[in-house]
Amino acid sequence: MAILRVLLLDSRKTLQEIGNEVGLSPTSCWTRIKKLEASGVIKRYTVDVDPAKLGYHDSVIVQVTLESHTDETLYDFGRTLATIPEIQEAYLVSGDYDYYIRIAVRDTRDYERLLREKLYKIPGIRHSKSHFVLRVLKEATVPLI
């Protein structure tokens, strides 16, 4: 887990730097990292981009209820969501709504455009409810840090 903590904070660190932080040799670090990759614990390496620096200053959480809950409807809805670049995360959930979706937008007008041009064109949406994020209090990928 110590190696994962280091990689989550900065995956560009050298094996020497990682080894110094976790008390292992670079070779031991390399071997453990390769095992984490092979077992699927480490799925990929990526870059953490600040959406605001690209003009996406707002984030919206949208709760969606569908008209139908057939396997085909759920599959088609999920597949369509995956084609919309502004959608950052989408979850099929239990409870009063079927989906929680997090969307990056430039501003309220951009969100209104996205609703009209993309989200509301998806067939089968019965009801939706939107919440603009005022402040991010915590953001993490896994509970390691």
Side-chain angles (χ1 to χ4, degrees), residues 76-112:
D76 288 344
F77 186 74
R79 207 172 79 208
T80 302
L81 290 181
T83 68
I84 301 172
E86 295 90 346
I87 294 179
Q88 296 177 299
E89 297 173 295
Y91 301 99
L92 175 62
V93 297
S94 62
D96 294 335
Y97 290 88
D98 298 322
Y99 288 89
Y100 281 9
I101 303 166
R102 186 166 63 92
I103 301 174
V105 293
R106 297 179 187 285
D107 52 32
T108 55
R109 286 181 190 224
D110 189 36
Y111 180 58
E112 188 265 337

Side-chain angles (χ1 to χ4, degrees), residues 3 9 17 23-24 35 48 70 77 79 90 101-102 123:
I3 291 174
L9 291 172
E17 292 170 325
L24 293 171
K35 285 181 183 176
D48 189 9
T70 66
F77 186 74
R79 207 172 79 208
I101 303 166
R102 186 166 63 92

Side-chain angles (χ1 to χ4, degrees), residues 8 30 37 39-41 52 55 58 60 64 67 74 87 91 94 99 101 116 118 129:
L8 281 168
W30 177 251
E37 291 171 352
S39 68
V41 172
D58 290 315
V60 183
V64 174
E67 293 284 346
L74 296 176
I87 294 179
Y91 301 99
S94 62
Y99 288 89
I101 303 166
R116 272 186 301 101
K118 296 181 181 180
K129 187 175 182 179

Side-chain angles (χ1 to χ4, degrees), residues 6-31:
V6 172
L7 289 173
L8 281 168
L9 291 172
D10 184 357
S11 63
R12 292 184 58 162
K13 286 195 173 189
T14 66
L15 290 172
Q16 183 69 46
E17 292 170 325
I18 296 169
N20 289 341
E21 287 192 40
V22 301
L24 293 171
S25 71
T27 304
S28 294
C29 285
W30 177 251
T31 301

